Structure formats: structure tokens, C-alpha cells
Amino acid sequence: MLLLIEKKAHAYVFASIGCKKWDTCAPEAILSAVGGQLTDIHGKPIPYHANVVHKNTGGVLATVENHDWYVNKIRDNVDAEVLAKFESVKAAPPTLEAQLSQKTLNIPKTSSPAKVNDSSETTHF
């Protein structure tokens, strides 16, 4: 990413499904801050939500400029059968933590509001 930012490289192509989300998350943030882009090799954004597969199964393409040009060059010059091996992102089964974060907690409300002062204002807890 530094070579891209310093304009010593035009593109970074990781044509493998071996890297994980934690390998691309911080570099993508830095690259994005300087106007660059990091996607899979099909040009699709790499998601980082709780239910995503950790592997970047679509490979990685990073650029500071002309990102779509590189996506098109890859699509036009790499055999379709090879490109098909780089899958789009698939959702992983939700983790227990993700399931719990989606649940609404049923916390009972207090039966009466507490007085803040002698005026008519009340605060609800």
C-alpha cells in the first residue's frame, strides 16, 4: 500500500484466496484516506461485517487511481475459468456474538418517573 501511495507502484493484485479480512481492513482504510480503492479482483467492495467469511475469496486489487481500468484489464485478459475461481463474497454462518448483537434486550422500564426537582420536569430511566 505504501508503494501505491508513494506512486512507486500502479496496482497491487493479490491473485489468491489466501489473505483474510484482517490483512486488508487497515490497508484499505489508509488507501481510502488518500483517495485510493481496494476491492476484490472483480471490482466488488470487500465487506467487513460480523457475518462475513474471513477469507478474501475474490482476491484483492488495490490502486490509488484508475481502479476501474485495472478491473477491466483483469476481466478482459484473464481466462474466464480462472476468474470464476475467485468467488464473490459469501456470508458465513452468524457467530454467537453476531446473533446476540442483533437481539433486542427486554429491559423492563421503571414503573414511575423519578423527580429531578420540584418543577414539573421528570427524567425517565
Side-chain angles (χ1 to χ4, degrees):
M1 296 308 148
L2 288 176
L3 292 175
L4 290 171
I5 292 167
E6 293 174 345
K7 303 217 185 257
K8 294 181 180 176
H10 298 285
Y12 171 78
V13 180
F14 190 81
S16 174
I17 60 172
C19 77
K20 310 273 189 311
K21 300 293 187 250
W22 50 77
D23 296 321
T24 56
C25 184
E28 181 176 4
I30 294 167
L31 194 59
S32 178
V34 298
Q37 196 172 356
L38 188 144
T39 66
D40 69 10
I41 63 169
H42 301 285
K44 295 178 184 168
I46 296 177
Y48 298 103
H49 57 80
N51 297 334
V52 73
V53 172
H54 293 148
K55 283 186 178 182
N56 288 323
T57 56
V60 176
L61 171 64
T63 62
V64 174
E65 15 183 72
N66 303 320
H67 194 80
D68 290 338
W69 185 85
Y70 288 96
V71 171
N72 292 332
K73 285 294 180 187
I74 290 170
R75 186 192 62 233
D76 294 345
N77 292 291
V78 176
D79 183 66
E81 189 175 316
V82 172
L83 277 179
K85 292 178 183 179
F86 292 93
E87 303 170 344
S88 296
V89 176
K90 293 181 178 179
T95 62
L96 178 59
E97 180 182 37
Q99 290 173 26
L100 291 174
S101 72
Q102 301 299 318
K103 292 197 180 283
T104 302
L105 300 178
N106 294 317
I107 301 172
K109 296 181 181 181
T110 58
S111 59
S112 62
K115 286 280 190 188
V116 173
N117 54 32
D118 289 335
S119 71
S120 62
E121 295 180 40
T122 57
T123 303
H124 297 275
F125 294 98

